[in-house]
Amino acid sequence: MPEKNQASADRHVRMAVAQNTAYQGAGGSTELRAAGREVRLLMREGRQAGARIIHFPEGATCSPHKLALSSEGPDTVGPADWDRFDWRVLEDELERTARLADELGLWTVLGSAHRLTAPNRPHNSLYVISDGGVVVTRYDERMLSHTKISYMYAPGSAPRTFEVDGVRFGCLLGMEAHFPELFGAYEQLDVDCVLFSTAGAAPYDGVFATEARGHAATNSFWVSFSVPAQHSGTTPSGVIGPGGQWLTRCAGDGTPSVAVVDLDTSTKDVETAATKARPWRRTARAGLYEPHVVHDPRSNELSAF
């Protein structure tokens, strides 16, 4: 596989990670409108700070609770009744958000349900809206929780990547922090930064953040971690460097906010990760050690000093 990351020129982009209010009703017009307004307010804030791309949590536009849509609710989890959801208002809010992305020149990645053809359930998705206001791709959560796959959503089937100013991004969602193979697959796709969006819930958002730091260090890439504002008291949104350290974080007081950081491949720590650690791990995984395996009875004897 070509070492695209190591051979390419230095790349730089300023990104904002956001935490906004997750509305967990059945997707009525009032909540959808409120979510849309807040998303666009944070987009303006991120752009004013110089960001070229902003990253929102899972369900940034809508995060219906399993009981809110349950056909057997409100106290029993059952198949989601998506007819209760106001798709018309959601689509209008998404269009308004896309127009603002165009106006601001701001790439926008945000979580939303994505309607499929009846009777199929929707996907739980991340829309990637370009700085021209166009949906260039969409990531659909693949590793769904028991509740999601049993009652709410249809799974996605593939990773998705895109580039902003030469920096290559991948997307993950929901509970996928639990699956290191998904992050490793993005390393093989030469991604510079994985955008991980979750709806979180204490204590799991803290677990997800710990796992995200490990994935960043293991794969030598940035991980942007976006969680709803309600969970920021446990773990606020933030961006993790290729060494596994937090580079920036949003407010930890439960309020909607953004944090901005420069993703710059020319900095010393990133250069070391990209030009030394990452290629060495690829070499090690490609059979480096096989010629050095020895055939020695002292090696085979496992119960002697």
Side-chain angles (χ1 to χ4, degrees):
M1 176 179 292
E3 303 285 350
K4 177 179 176 181
N5 272 14
Q6 290 72 46
S8 58
D10 293 333
R11 301 172 309 286
H12 167 269
V13 69
R14 176 166 287 189
M15 75 165 293
V17 60
Q19 58 188 35
N20 69 303
T21 305
Y23 291 95
Q24 295 194 309
S29 61
T30 300
E31 287 190 335
L32 292 171
R33 295 295 188 197
R37 287 192 297 269
E38 192 172 281
V39 162
R40 292 188 289 276
L41 180 66
L42 294 174
M43 288 171 63
R44 293 184 184 279
E45 186 175 332
R47 191 68 183 104
Q48 288 170 359
R52 283 276 291 133
I53 176 172
I54 187 167
H55 170 215
F56 284 93
E58 175 186 12
T61 58
C62 54
S63 187
H65 191 272
K66 57 189 177 184
L67 291 174
L69 285 178
S70 174
S71 58
E72 300 175 9
D75 301 316
T76 303
V77 179
D81 179 5
W82 285 98
D83 288 338
R84 302 180 190 176
F85 193 89
D86 199 331
W87 292 104
R88 180 190 60 81
V89 172
L90 173 63
E91 290 164 6
D92 180 65
E93 288 298 319
L94 289 169
E95 288 171 0
R96 294 183 186 206
T97 298
R99 288 196 295 271
L100 182 62
D102 180 29
E103 176 185 327
L104 298 177
L106 179 67
W107 285 76
T108 302
V109 182
L110 77 164
S112 178
H114 177 75
R115 179 165 51 170
L116 301 184
T117 306
N120 295 317
R121 296 171 181 163
H123 289 312
N124 184 38
S125 304
L126 284 175
Y127 287 113
V128 179
I129 304 169
S130 76
D131 56 356
V134 176
V135 178
V136 296
T137 192
R138 189 192 71 249
Y139 176 72
D140 305 319
E141 185 181 7
R142 291 172 282 169
M143 309 301 282
L144 297 166
S145 70
H146 172 75
T147 297
K148 285 178 177 177
I149 193 63
S150 299
Y151 303 114
M152 299 188 73
Y153 297 104
S157 59
R160 303 294 179 200
T161 64
F162 65 98
E163 291 190 8
V164 179
D165 299 343
V167 175
R168 190 168 173 85
F169 293 90
C171 301
L172 290 173
L173 187 57
M175 62 175 288
E176 292 180 331
H178 288 328
F179 298 91
E181 63 271 25
L182 301 184
F183 288 82
Y186 276 125
E187 191 277 336
Q188 290 295 300
L189 291 171
D190 285 312
V191 160
D192 298 299
C193 178
V194 170
L195 307 178
F196 174 66
S197 298
T198 183
Y204 300 111
D205 42 359
V207 173
F208 292 158
T210 300
E211 291 174 325
R213 291 182 65 188
H215 297 318
T218 300
N219 294 289
S220 298
F221 51 38
W222 289 283
V223 173
S224 181
F225 178 88
S226 185
V227 68
Q230 291 99 312
H231 303 306
S232 63
T234 302
T235 303
S237 295
V239 177
I240 305 162
Q245 74 281 25
W246 289 105
L247 302 179
T248 188
R249 305 193 79 175
C250 291
D253 58 4
T255 59
S257 64
V258 299
V260 177
V261 69
D262 291 321
L263 307 187
D264 188 346
T265 64
S266 70
T267 59
K268 185 175 181 179
D269 59 334
V270 176
E271 182 184 15
T272 298
T275 64
K276 294 184 173 66
R278 195 163 177 175
W280 173 255
R281 289 167 187 166
R282 287 185 172 184
T283 300
R285 290 174 177 131
L288 169 68
Y289 304 105
E290 293 174 8
H292 300 276
V293 174
V294 298
H295 301 283
D296 186 321
R298 291 283 297 166
S299 175
N300 296 331
E301 178 52 68
L302 304 180
S303 60
F305 291 115

